[in-house]
Amino acid sequence: MPRLRLMPEVSHGPLDGAWWPRCDALELELPALVGSLDPGIDTVTRVTVETAAWPDAPHEVMAPGHVIEVVLTDSAAEAHAITVDCGTVGSWELLVIPPDEPARVATRLLTAAADPANPLSAPRLLALAESGLDGQDTWESEGGAGPR
C-alpha cells in the first residue's frame, strides 16, 4: 500500500499531497519520505512540523548524503501537516495521516489530499475523514470532488 501520494500537477490548493508514516518517530520516518520523492528534485533541506504532532522530533535528521533541518511550530494551521522544503524547487505541503489510521481511511485521505480540486487544509480534511460519511457530504459541499 502506498504511503505517499503527490498531486500530479501544480497545486492550487492548501495541500500538495499526503504522507502516511508507519510510526511517529520523525527521525525514522523522514529518510523514507525523502527517499520516496522524485530523485530529480533538489535535496530536501528543511521540514516544518507541528510540535504537538511530533513532540520528540529532533532538530536535525540524517538522510542519505545530507542533514535535514527540522523546524518545529505551534501553528494550528500546521497541525497534521509537514512542509518539505526542496531548495530551488520550492516546497510541498503534505497532510500527515496518523500512523494508526485504518488503511481504508488512510487510502481515502491519500487520494483526497492529492486531488487538484481539494480546497481543504490538513486539519480540516483529517477532521472530515474521521467524522465518517457525513464528512464525505461536507467535503463535496465545500468544493471537493471527493475521493475516487
Side-chain angles (χ1 to χ4, degrees):
M1 161 165 270
R3 295 270 172 176
L4 173 68
R5 190 145 195 205
L6 298 174
M7 197 167 290
E9 55 195 56
V10 176
S11 173
H12 299 289
L15 295 171
D16 300 300
W19 173 46
W20 186 29
R22 296 179 192 284
C23 70
D24 61 2
L26 191 63
E27 65 276 14
L28 298 176
E29 293 293 325
L30 191 57
L33 170 63
V34 170
S36 297
L37 296 173
D38 183 345
I41 66 162
D42 263 353
T43 301
V44 173
T45 57
R46 178 177 55 230
V47 297
T48 303
V49 295
E50 202 264 333
T51 306
W54 303 93
D56 299 323
H59 294 285
E60 293 181 335
V61 171
M62 290 300 299
H66 69 289
V67 176
I68 300 169
E69 176 188 4
V70 177
V71 177
L72 299 172
T73 180
D74 290 326
S75 169
E78 293 289 330
H80 305 292
I82 183 170
T83 303
V84 180
D85 292 314
C86 304
T88 59
V89 175
S91 64
W92 285 310
E93 184 76 16
L94 303 175
L95 165 69
V96 177
I97 301 168
D100 59 352
E101 200 67 57
R104 176 184 53 77
V105 175
T107 299
R108 280 183 52 209
L109 287 166
L110 284 161
T111 301
D115 184 337
N118 171 43
L120 305 176
S121 67
R124 184 80 176 121
L125 191 58
L126 190 61
L128 287 176
E130 290 177 351
S131 71
L133 294 176
D134 293 337
Q136 179 66 28
D137 295 338
T138 303
W139 155 255
E140 290 175 359
S141 73
E142 291 189 16
R148 297 187 248 308

